[in-house]
């Protein structure tokens, strides 16, 4: 949606740019039909439709859920680098995932939470000093009415700075 007087919506442009980057740099995201839904101080939300990412039980396929969470962490790391005017190569070093509940929603949404302040401060200090830094991120996929996540993902991302 455009803002008044035909000016472009910066938030929408930012979402579109990130979605294009994901689809270009990580083609699996296009195959999964991943969308960037929201970028706020509270987190980054990516989503995918259930239909092409389902299993024989008509719930979300675990591999697709894992990929969506991994992509959310990668995208958050990219946005954080942009925020501080840095560039670098982002890779995931390790991750763990817990599947608490089946995911049946027609649109599956994952939220990558911002890093803890102390972790972020350390990351920002280490990248220029050492030429690389790591960042631990948590991604959740909503679950039941008790606010228990259906999926909980923890990823450790490493960025090697570009000189």
């Amino acid at each position: 949606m455009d803002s008044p007087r035909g000016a472009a919506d910066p938030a929408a442009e930012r979402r579109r740019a990130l979605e294009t980057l994901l689809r270009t740099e990580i083609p699996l995201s296009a195959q999964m039909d991943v969308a960037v839904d929201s970028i706020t101080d509270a987190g980054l939300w990516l989503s995918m439709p259930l239909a092409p990412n389902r299993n024989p039980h008509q719930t979300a396929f675990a591999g697709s859920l894992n990929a969506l969470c991994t992509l959310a962490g990668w995208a958050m790391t990219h946005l954080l680098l942009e925020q501080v005017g840095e560039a670098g190569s982002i890779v995931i070093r390790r991750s763990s995932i817990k599947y608490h509940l089946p995911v049946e929603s027609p649109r599956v949404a994952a939220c990558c939470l911002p890093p803890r302040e102390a972790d972020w401060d350390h990351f920002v200090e280490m990248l220029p000093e050492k030429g690389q830094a790591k960042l631990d991120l948590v991604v959740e996929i909503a679950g039941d009415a008790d606010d228990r996540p259906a999926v909980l993902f923890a990823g450790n991302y490493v960025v090697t700075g570009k000189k």
Side-chain angles (χ1 to χ4, degrees):
M1 176 196 279
D2 286 347
S3 55
R5 290 181 258 160
D9 176 4
E13 286 181 15
R14 189 172 185 213
R15 288 190 309 273
R16 277 192 296 276
L18 181 58
E19 193 170 305
T20 299
L21 178 71
L22 283 169
R23 289 170 179 248
T24 302
E25 295 295 317
I26 306 171
L28 175 66
S29 63
Q31 294 298 314
M32 294 171 55
D33 199 14
V34 171
V36 178
D37 294 337
S38 181
I39 303 168
T40 70
D41 290 342
L44 164 69
W45 283 263
L46 299 185
S47 67
M48 65 182 184
L50 176 63
N53 295 290
R54 65 176 172 72
N55 61 29
H57 309 286
Q58 306 307 310
T59 60
F61 176 61
S64 293
L65 294 171
N66 193 320
L68 182 65
C69 291
T70 302
L71 287 165
W74 187 94
M76 173 66 89
T77 304
H78 171 79
L79 290 173
L80 291 169
L81 284 171
E82 244 181 22
Q83 180 182 314
V84 294
E86 293 285 344
S89 178
I90 304 166
V91 296
I92 189 160
R93 182 173 167 212
R94 76 173 146 254
S95 67
S96 66
I97 192 164
K98 294 180 182 171
Y99 303 96
H100 297 290
L101 300 165
V103 178
E104 301 171 312
S105 172
R107 188 107 197 135
V108 179
C111 176
C112 183
L113 303 171
R116 294 181 311 173
E117 190 173 340
D119 292 344
W120 176 239
D121 291 345
H122 184 72
F123 178 87
V124 170
E125 181 182 329
M126 289 294 104
L127 188 57
E129 186 176 307
K130 302 283 185 186
Q132 71 175 28
K134 69 177 184 70
L135 193 58
D136 293 321
L137 294 170
V138 172
V139 180
E140 295 180 353
I141 294 178
D144 57 20
D146 295 330
D147 288 334
R148 178 178 166 206
V151 177
L152 187 58
F153 172 94
N156 177 259
Y157 293 83
V158 175
V159 174
T160 303
K162 292 184 179 174
K163 299 293 179 186

